[in-house]
């Protein structure tokens, strides 16, 4: 019973100025995809030591096809503005567990 998702690894294509200039549009785009259920998870990746957050990031999309996921990645302002490059792969999630707690009265959410 595999879950089919799509993983983008995004890396800087130019200097930090281009990434910084594109960041507000990128975050708005990510928010829109989250609201529509197309964005599963996203965030920066560390260097090999695990101590420093370098320039790479990972985005996980929920899409019907590889082509649909590619369209999502290409429409990301970071990628369309050429501030970042990306690779895209299909990911069949076969194992693992995800637990979430939502406090309705407190508005607190935890994920483990």
């Amino acid at each position: 019973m595999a879950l089919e998702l799509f993983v983008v690894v995004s890396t800087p294509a130019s200097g930090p100025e281009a990434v910084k200039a594109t960041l507000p549009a990128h975050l708005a785009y990510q928010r829109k995809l989250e609201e529509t259920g197309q964005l599963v998870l996203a965030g920066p990746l560390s260097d090999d030591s695990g101590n420093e957050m370098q320039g790479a990031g990972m985005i996980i999309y929920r899409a019907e096809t590889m082509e649909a996921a590619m369209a999502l990645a290409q429409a990301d302002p970071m990628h369309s503005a050429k501030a970042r490059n990306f690779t895209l792969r299909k990911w069949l999630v076969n194992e693992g567990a995800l637990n979430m707690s939502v406090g309705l009265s407190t508005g607190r959410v935890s994920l483990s």
Side-chain angles (χ1 to χ4, degrees), residues 26-97:
H26 164 74
L27 293 175
Y29 180 71
Q30 297 284 72
R31 191 174 311 111
K32 181 186 93 171
L33 294 183
E34 183 178 334
E35 289 170 355
T36 61
Q38 295 169 293
L39 177 66
V40 178
L41 297 167
L45 295 170
S46 74
D47 65 359
D48 291 340
S49 73
N51 295 322
E52 291 188 38
M53 302 311 283
Q54 296 291 321
M58 185 168 71
I59 305 164
I60 302 175
Y61 294 130
R62 186 177 293 112
E64 290 295 319
T65 64
M66 186 75 159
E67 292 76 19
M70 179 64 76
L72 293 174
Q74 290 172 334
D76 185 322
M78 283 291 181
H79 304 141
S80 63
K82 307 281 190 240
R84 297 178 73 86
N85 294 319
F86 71 91
T87 59
L88 172 68
R89 292 188 180 192
K90 184 187 295 186
W91 181 28
L92 294 178
V93 182
N94 292 319
E95 297 91 22

